[in-house]
């Protein structure tokens, strides 16, 4: 730690391992941006970066700030396909090769064609809620809707069995929880280990089936695709499928959970959206800025770097606080407030630079359609609390559960 950093360190309260901080991170981000824009965090043995311009610079510079250790650090020995890196954990130029291929499947023209299926997925889940609970009562928004909705959509994209959507969700949750593995006991670690084996075994089977009889789905597409005359290897295809499942499930679930939590907290907002559903896209954009599902990204330095008078040594963890950048007062007026018609032209919520989220278009569309359908079908849909229990995670943000009162529209 440098002298200039240690001078401010004792006043800074940010510690990503403290649940009090991750439950309410934004006041801590204000402190960081104001007084320690590059700050050493002892518990993580790394530096947090919190201002918009700095986060953007780091994410754009993949040479100095490498992604290569992202996946190994997150999953450790629980990586289901440890023999090759997934694209999120590759640096240019290797990353470009595989990203170009994946881009083709997620261009707006292709995603727009999925609108009807996405709407059908939302309607189906609502039908099931009504079957279980009747026309009026309570249900858990996270466990009965938002956790199942994106997994249904991505299962369809990948062409995998919908009946297994609860397994997918369980596998993804278990793998992501490997990030906190240092704190877990043997039983919990055994569950993660099993999930890692099961998800691999599942996609090995799908790979064999699709190699023998290809379909219109994305996995068949990856198996057949050629980049510069070369096919993807078996492990590369497995990795891509698992990454899409992980990337496409938790984040959109959390965006929906966060959105409905704030509908309880921010007075009158749901009424406005009901009165004029054309405001829903605007609501989603500002919600992504105001309280995004990904709070932190990881990079490692490939040389000594100096920022704001702090020297970050070579091969050191750098944590980019996307939520802090999205609240930077240098970037946005009234940055701590939710302003429905703000129409933020730029967001940090999907990252920046070479790893900019592949699902940025799909996830927004999913969120808009889900909110539209939910408000259409339910005359009342009100969380019982605006203070839910938040996930125990320093990089992902979302309510663990969200009990809601509901009444079906006649
Ligand atoms: C609201 C929802 C979402 C949020 C907030 C989000 C956020 C992010 C962020 C911040 C990154 C950058 C990672 C980095 O720079 O290291 C990223 C990358 C990625 N996301 Fe998303 N994501 C969302 C939805 C999705 C969906 C639905 C998919 C699936 C289609 C997806 C697939 C990916 C993939 C594959 C990458 C890696 C891209 C690369 O390495 O080139 N994401 N996402």
């Amino acid at each position: 730690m440098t002298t200039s950093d240690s001078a401010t360190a004792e006043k800074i309260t940010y510690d990503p391992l403290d649940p009090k901080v991750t439950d309410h991170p934004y006041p801590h981000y204000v402190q960081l941006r104001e007084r320690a824009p590059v700050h050493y965090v002892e518990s993580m043995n790394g530096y947090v970066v919190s201002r918009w311009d700095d986060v953007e610079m780091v994410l754009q510079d993949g040479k100095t700030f490498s992604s290569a250790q992202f996946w190994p650090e997150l999953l450790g020995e629980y990586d289901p396909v440890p023999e090759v890196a997934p694209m999120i954990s590759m640096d240019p130029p290797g990353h470009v090769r595989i990203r170009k291929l994946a881009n083709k499947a997620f261009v707006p023209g292709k995603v727009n064609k999925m609108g009807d299926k996405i709407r059908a997925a939302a309607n189906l889940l609502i039908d099931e809620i009504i079957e279980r609970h009747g026309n009026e009562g309570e249900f858990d928004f996270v466990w009965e809707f938002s956790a199942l909705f994106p997994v249904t959509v991505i299962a369809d994209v990948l062409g995998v069995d919908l009946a297994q959507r609860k397994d997918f969700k369980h596998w993804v949750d278990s793998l992501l929880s490997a990030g906190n593995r240092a704190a877990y006991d043997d039983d919990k670690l055994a569950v993660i280990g099993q999930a890692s084996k099961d998800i691999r075994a599942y996609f090995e089977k799908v790979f064999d089936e699709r190699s023998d009889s290809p379909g219109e789905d994305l996995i068949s597409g990856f198996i057949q695709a050629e980049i510069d005359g070369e096919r993807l290897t078996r492990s590369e295809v497995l990795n891509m499928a698992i990454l899409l499942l992980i990337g496409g499930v938790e984040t959109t679930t959390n965006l929906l959970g966060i959105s409905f939590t704030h509908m309880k907290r921010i007075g009158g907002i749901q009424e406005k959206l009901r009165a004029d559903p054309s405001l829903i896209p605007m609501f989603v954009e500002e919600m992504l800025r105001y309280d995004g599902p990904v709070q932190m990204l990881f990079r490692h330095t490939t040389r000594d770097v100096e920022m704001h008078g702090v020297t970050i040594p070579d091969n050191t963890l750098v944590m980019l606080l996307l939520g802090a950048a999205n609240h930077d007062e240098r970037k946005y007026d009234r940055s701590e407030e939710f302003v429905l018609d703000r129409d933020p032209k730029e967001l940090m919520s999907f990252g920046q630079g070479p790893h900019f989220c592949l699902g940025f278009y799909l996830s927004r569309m999913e969120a808009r359609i889900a909110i539209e359908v939910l408000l259409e079908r339910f005359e009342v849909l009100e969380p019982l609390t605006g203070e839910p229990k938040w996930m125990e995670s320093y990089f992902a943000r979302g309510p663990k559960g969200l009990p809601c009162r509901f009444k079906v529209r006649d």
Side-chain angles (χ1 to χ4, degrees):
M1 191 175 11
T2 66
T3 327
S4 71
D5 193 38
S6 62
T8 49
E10 64 247 24
K11 299 176 218 150
I12 299 295
T13 50
Y14 178 79
D15 177 359
L17 298 187
D18 179 352
K20 286 201 286 301
V21 171
T22 44
D23 283 359
H24 298 284
Y26 295 98
H28 301 274
Y29 294 160
V30 174
Q31 240 189 12
L32 286 170
R33 284 192 308 268
E34 268 174 18
R35 292 197 267 131
V38 177
H39 174 67
Y40 179 74
V41 177
E42 204 166 342
S43 63
M44 301 287 288
N45 190 21
Y47 290 75
V48 281
V49 175
S50 48
R51 289 187 188 166
W52 176 284
D53 285 351
D54 299 326
V55 172
E56 183 174 48
M57 184 279 289
V58 170
L59 291 177
Q60 296 283 359
D61 182 358
K63 256 196 180 150
T64 312
F65 299 94
S66 163
S67 290
Q69 293 183 51
F70 190 156
W71 217 238
E73 193 129 301
L74 182 67
L75 297 179
E77 64 271 41
Y78 301 102
D79 185 345
V81 193
E83 65 272 25
V84 288
M87 87 179 143
I88 203 164
S89 206
M90 289 168 89
D91 290 326
H95 168 259
V96 180
R97 165 181 170 265
I98 205 142
R99 171 77 196 223
K100 265 194 193 157
L101 174 70
N103 274 345
K104 289 188 189 151
F106 290 93
V107 289
K110 285 223 163 147
V111 175
N112 284 335
K113 291 198 183 118
M114 294 163 58
D116 288 346
K117 282 192 173 172
I118 296 177
R119 191 168 286 275
N123 273 310
L124 180 70
L125 288 169
I126 294 172
D127 291 342
E128 288 172 2
I129 291 168
I130 297 170
E131 240 169 67
R132 273 194 301 275
H133 300 282
N135 285 344
E136 206 172 336
E138 284 177 19
F139 74 95
D140 191 298
F141 180 80
V142 170
W143 287 104
E144 297 183 62
F145 186 84
S146 66
L148 301 176
F149 169 67
V151 82
T152 310
V153 175
I154 202 77
D156 189 58
V157 172
L158 292 172
V160 295
D161 191 358
L162 217 70
Q164 265 184 301
R165 66 182 182 197
K166 287 198 175 143
D167 290 330
F168 297 147
K169 173 72 184 138
H170 164 69
W171 293 336
V172 170
D173 283 355
S174 298
L175 284 181
L176 284 176
S177 74
N180 288 358
R181 61 195 174 280
Y184 291 158
D185 61 20
D186 288 349
D187 289 350
K188 188 120 193 210
L189 293 175
V191 172
I192 303 175
Q194 194 56 48
S196 173
K197 282 197 190 105
D198 290 346
I199 197 170
R200 173 154 189 153
Y202 178 80
F203 282 107
E204 293 271 13
K205 187 170 73 77
V206 174
F207 185 96
D208 290 336
E209 284 164 9
R210 301 298 150 78
S211 301
D212 292 345
S213 54
E216 292 297 304
D217 60 275
L218 203 54
I219 297 182
S220 299
F222 288 145
I223 294 173
Q224 290 165 321
E226 288 193 4
I227 318 176
D228 305 329
E230 272 179 51
R231 292 261 171 119
L232 292 181
T233 64
R234 183 184 184 99
S235 302
E236 280 176 326
V237 174
L238 296 181
N239 234 339
M240 186 75 105
I242 293 171
L243 177 65
L244 289 176
L245 199 58
I246 293 181
V249 169
E250 191 78 22
T251 44
T252 312
T253 296
N254 286 336
L255 174 58
L256 286 169
I258 289 171
S259 295
F260 277 83
T261 301
H262 287 296
M263 284 190 201
K264 176 78 176 175
R265 290 177 166 191
I266 307 168
I269 200 90
Q270 200 185 105
E271 290 69 21
K272 279 188 190 152
L273 301 182
R274 284 182 183 280
D276 182 1
S278 73
L279 297 175
I280 292 173
M282 228 180 212
F283 168 84
V284 171
E285 291 307 288
E286 174 64 348
M287 192 53 72
L288 279 161
R289 184 201 70 84
Y290 180 70
D291 201 3
V294 179
Q295 290 289 313
M296 187 191 276
L297 292 176
F298 308 94
R299 297 292 187 266
H300 280 80
T301 47
T302 56
R303 58 174 173 82
D304 290 358
V305 182
E306 192 177 314
M307 290 172 76
H308 296 284
V310 177
T311 302
I312 308 178
D314 184 14
N315 197 24
T316 298
L317 173 66
V318 179
M319 294 163 279
L320 292 324
L321 296 179
L322 306 188
N326 273 332
H327 279 225
D328 192 339
E329 37 292 286
R330 291 156 202 81
K331 184 80 183 168
Y332 299 107
D333 291 337
R334 298 158 63 199
S335 61
E336 297 300 315
E337 284 173 49
F338 181 89
V339 180
L340 179 59
D341 60 358
R342 179 190 298 276
D343 192 16
K345 293 284 177 262
E346 283 182 285
L347 293 170
M348 199 55 85
S349 325
F350 295 101
Q352 299 262 332
H355 292 278
F356 180 70
C357 176
L358 186 68
F360 77 99
Y361 193 82
L362 172 63
S363 60
R364 281 172 160 118
M365 192 160 125
E366 287 180 74
R368 287 175 200 160
I369 293 178
I371 295 171
E372 261 170 42
V373 175
L374 285 160
L375 298 187
E376 265 164 33
R377 302 261 330 253
F378 293 120
E379 185 180 307
V380 176
L381 182 56
E382 200 195 329
L384 301 184
T385 172
E387 276 302 329
K389 286 210 163 61
W390 294 92
M391 291 169 60
E392 287 143 27
S393 166
Y394 44 84
F395 60 92
R397 177 159 172 83
K400 266 195 206 166
L402 194 65
C404 280
R405 196 168 66 82
F406 78 97
K407 183 166 186 241
V408 174
R409 193 181 297 283
D410 291 331

